Amino acid sequence: MTVVIGFEGSANKIGVGIIRDGEVLSNPRRTYITPPGQGFMPSDTARHHRAVILTVLKEALEEAGLKPADIDCVAYTKGPGMGAPLVTVAIVARTVAQLWGKPLLGVNHCIGHIEMGRLITKASNPTVLYVSGGNTQVIAYSERRYRIFGETIDIAVGNCLDRFARVIKISNDPSPGYNIEQMAKTGTQYVELPYTVKGMDVSFSGILSYIEETVFAMLVEITERAMAHCSSQEVLIVGGVGCNLRLQEMMGVMCEERGAKLFATDDRFCIDNGAMIAQAGWEMFQSGQVTELEDSWITQR
């Protein structure tokens, strides 16, 4: 049996997760939360991660009931993400791998989300809507690669929601998007906004008011187009915005009309976490991949 520990810290979440052959043994995390109206700066976020990462690592090992000798591989988020937080996590992962004498694996953050979603939901070959603070993409597996069929041409949907929350001073605890969702549940008036779908891509940069219904409808449209192109009967929603129940509801209606099936996870696994990096690392390690120390850099893109 193969045990992989994963370190995630590409944005304001710092997490350490342990996977053993598809079983999540532990997955603790911490969130850097700023006051209402403020975003999180890279340097401050990295400082937060440095302050808590060893505590989270200890929690992960204790929760899993494992010792360093039980770990077979150390995986970490190579990117994309914010530079300073990524570097913080990469340094710890490199150090741990050398101290424990274990192979190291740099993992693509986006693939981590997808592989975690596939593991938890058991979706076999879905069209994936990946929606988070930094990414908005429609992805499908074709000819032995994950391929992007559509994406945002400016800001990500999560960033759009976060900026809207900052403008009207919505709390960042536990997250701006969650608080917007709760407020939207009590709304009674739909305000029409620019609906900007350009082919298979979307644009969010001009929308900063009463936005949830419109941006989610845009995402459902381009996801349905990708499904038609790939002859897919499954949709998997991943990323932090993916645990929004309204988005899941709207996507579910589309899937039902097509006779397709919707897969989604809750906030344990759709929000950035260490287990998703461990799972993608497990897949890579099983196929014989490792990252040499001199190649264990990070990339923001």
Side-chain angles (χ1 to χ4, degrees):
M1 299 204 299
T2 303
V3 180
V4 178
I5 189 167
F7 291 82
E8 156 60 24
S10 59
N12 69 328
K13 311 288 191 304
I14 178 73
V16 181
I18 300 177
I19 293 278
R20 180 175 59 203
D21 291 349
E23 179 186 4
V24 180
L25 301 182
S26 61
N27 197 23
R29 80 178 157 222
R30 298 284 192 281
T31 302
Y32 174 52
I33 296 174
T34 55
Q38 296 183 25
F40 48 92
M41 300 297 290
S43 58
D44 296 333
T45 307
R47 191 174 300 113
H48 166 266
H49 290 1
R50 287 195 297 271
V52 300
I53 189 168
L54 295 182
T55 300
V56 179
L57 171 57
K58 183 179 179 182
E59 285 181 11
L61 288 169
E62 290 179 347
E63 187 180 326
L66 298 177
K67 305 182 297 296
D70 301 318
I71 304 297
D72 295 303
C73 180
V74 177
Y76 74 98
T77 300
K78 190 171 185 175
M82 301 172 70
L86 282 172
V87 168
T88 296
V89 174
I91 289 172
V92 173
R94 284 198 296 254
T95 304
V96 163
Q98 291 178 86
L99 286 172
W100 297 353
K102 307 296 180 181
L104 186 66
L105 262 175
V107 171
N108 181 289
H109 180 84
C110 312
I111 293 177
H113 274 297
I114 296 171
E115 293 302 332
M116 195 75 231
R118 289 183 62 240
L119 172 69
I120 297 301
T121 65
K122 308 303 180 187
S124 59
N125 187 25
T127 298
V128 179
L129 176 64
Y130 172 30
V131 278
S132 68
N135 300 275
T136 300
Q137 298 174 328
V138 177
I139 301 168
Y141 194 77
S142 177
E143 298 179 1
R144 298 177 59 83
R145 292 183 67 87
Y146 282 117
R147 301 180 187 276
I148 299 170
F149 284 81
E151 61 186 335
T152 178
I153 59 176
D154 37 57
I155 61 174
V157 62
N159 183 249
C160 182
L161 294 169
D162 290 349
R163 287 169 62 178
F164 170 63
R166 289 203 295 271
V167 169
I168 63 173
K169 300 295 192 295
I170 292 176
S171 172
N172 292 323
D173 187 11
S175 72
Y178 175 81
N179 293 326
I180 290 173
E181 179 184 3
Q182 306 319 306
M183 295 173 70
K185 288 178 181 178
T186 63
T188 57
Q189 179 185 7
Y190 173 64
V191 178
E192 289 196 18
L193 296 167
Y195 187 100
T196 314
V197 172
K198 300 183 178 181
M200 284 295 291
D201 295 332
V202 290
S203 173
F204 297 118
S205 61
I207 304 176
L208 279 176
S209 179
Y210 296 100
I211 54 178
E212 196 169 52
E213 290 290 305
T214 300
V215 299
F216 288 172
M218 291 158 57
L219 295 172
V220 171
E221 177 182 333
I222 63 172
T223 302
E224 184 174 18
R225 285 194 196 160
M227 291 175 70
H229 180 83
C230 298
S231 300
S232 170
Q233 288 299 102
E234 295 180 339
V235 173
L236 171 63
I237 307 177
V238 300
V241 181
C243 52
N244 187 292
L245 297 180
R246 180 57 181 153
L247 174 58
Q248 293 181 18
E249 180 184 17
M250 293 170 71
M251 194 70 76
V253 171
M254 180 273 287
C255 287
E256 186 176 354
E257 291 174 350
R258 294 183 62 87
K261 190 169 183 180
L262 172 65
F263 296 91
T265 64
D266 57 31
D267 58 1
R268 293 173 300 165
F269 302 113
C270 66
I271 295 174
D272 291 352
N273 62 91
M276 74 183 205
I277 301 304
Q279 175 60 19
W282 184 91
E283 297 273 5
M284 295 168 68
F285 190 61
Q286 292 291 95
S287 69
Q289 297 183 56
V290 293
T291 301
E292 298 300 329
L293 191 62
E294 57 268 24
D295 297 324
S296 59
W297 38 273
I298 61 98
T299 174
Q300 297 179 69
R301 298 190 178 276

